[in-house]
């Protein structure tokens, strides 16, 4: 029970490896001292709170914002999605700007009767546009989630 509790606390801690080792060492000492004074492991765990509560309290005592890594991940994923969206929109705009009129061969100004179709029955630029729209949507969702977590 104690080992399981300590492992869970270690997972919840957003600290350096060295700091985690110190907290685990201290936690083992707390359990050892309490057991010497007649407390059971269950009583110690109840007194310390859930592993998440203990980890948050420890981070607070050390002056560390335990939500910072989660905020950072949200910001990084938002920026990555926005970069993908911008790249997709730039590629789409580039492919559309030099588009030859339908039915023309090369840069001919007049209409011809020859039409060349690709091997696929779709325009790849539409897929790039869809990727851009999806990336913007993901970025917006991530930004909203990050702001909501910051308010809490």
């Amino acid at each position: 029970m104690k080992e399981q509790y300590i492992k869970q606390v270690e997972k919840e801690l957003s600290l350096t490896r060295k700091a985690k080792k110190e907290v685990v060492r201290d936690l083992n000492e707390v359990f050892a001292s309490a057991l010497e004074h007649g407390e059971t492991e269950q009583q110690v765990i109840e007194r310390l709170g859930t592993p998440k509560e203990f980890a948050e309290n420890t981070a607070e005592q050390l002056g560390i914002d335990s939500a910072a890594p989660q905020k950072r991940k949200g910001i990084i994923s938002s920026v990555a999605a926005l970069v993908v969206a911008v790249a997709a929109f730039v590629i789409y705009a580039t492919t559309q700007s030099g588009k030859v009129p339908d039915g023309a061969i090369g840069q001919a100004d007049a209409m011809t009767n020859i039409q060349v179709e690709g091997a696929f029955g779709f325009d790849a630029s539409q897929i790039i546009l869809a990727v851009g729209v999806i990336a913007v949507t993901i970025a917006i969702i991530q930004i909203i989630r990050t702001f909501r977590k910051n308010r809490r």
Side-chain angles (χ1 to χ4, degrees):
M1 186 181 276
K2 172 185 109 175
E3 290 81 19
Q4 205 173 12
Y5 181 84
I6 292 174
K7 283 181 184 178
Q8 191 62 36
V9 166
E10 200 171 1
K11 285 181 185 178
E12 295 287 342
L13 287 170
S14 298
L15 303 173
T16 64
R17 194 175 294 167
K18 183 179 176 183
K20 279 185 183 184
K21 284 183 180 182
E22 288 179 29
V23 170
V24 169
R25 186 194 68 228
D26 292 345
L27 198 51
N28 276 314
E29 289 175 9
V30 167
F31 273 97
S33 175
L35 293 175
E36 286 177 9
H37 292 91
E39 271 188 278
T40 66
E41 287 182 355
Q42 183 61 37
Q43 289 171 325
V44 175
I45 291 171
E46 287 174 9
R47 180 168 42 90
L48 295 175
T50 66
K52 186 172 184 164
E53 291 170 346
F54 182 82
E56 288 174 353
N57 290 336
T58 302
E60 187 177 311
Q61 289 172 358
L62 295 173
I64 297 170
D65 182 8
S66 61
Q70 292 173 343
K71 290 177 192 174
R72 198 173 312 120
K73 285 179 186 176
I75 291 169
I76 290 170
S77 62
S78 298
V79 170
L82 286 173
V83 167
V84 169
V86 168
F89 289 141
V90 167
I91 292 169
Y92 177 76
T94 303
T95 61
Q96 295 302 308
S97 67
K99 199 163 191 169
V100 178
D102 288 337
I105 296 176
Q107 295 295 323
D109 293 333
M111 297 291 287
T112 64
N113 291 331
I114 301 172
Q115 291 195 2
V116 179
E117 292 186 20
F120 304 107
F122 59 88
D123 186 5
S125 64
Q126 298 300 316
I127 293 174
I128 293 171
L129 179 63
V131 167
V133 170
I134 291 168
V136 165
T137 305
I138 291 170
I140 290 170
I141 290 170
Q142 284 298 108
I143 290 168
I144 290 170
R145 283 183 181 168
T146 302
F147 281 123
R148 283 187 180 169
K149 285 180 183 177
N150 287 343
R151 286 184 183 173
R152 293 179 190 165

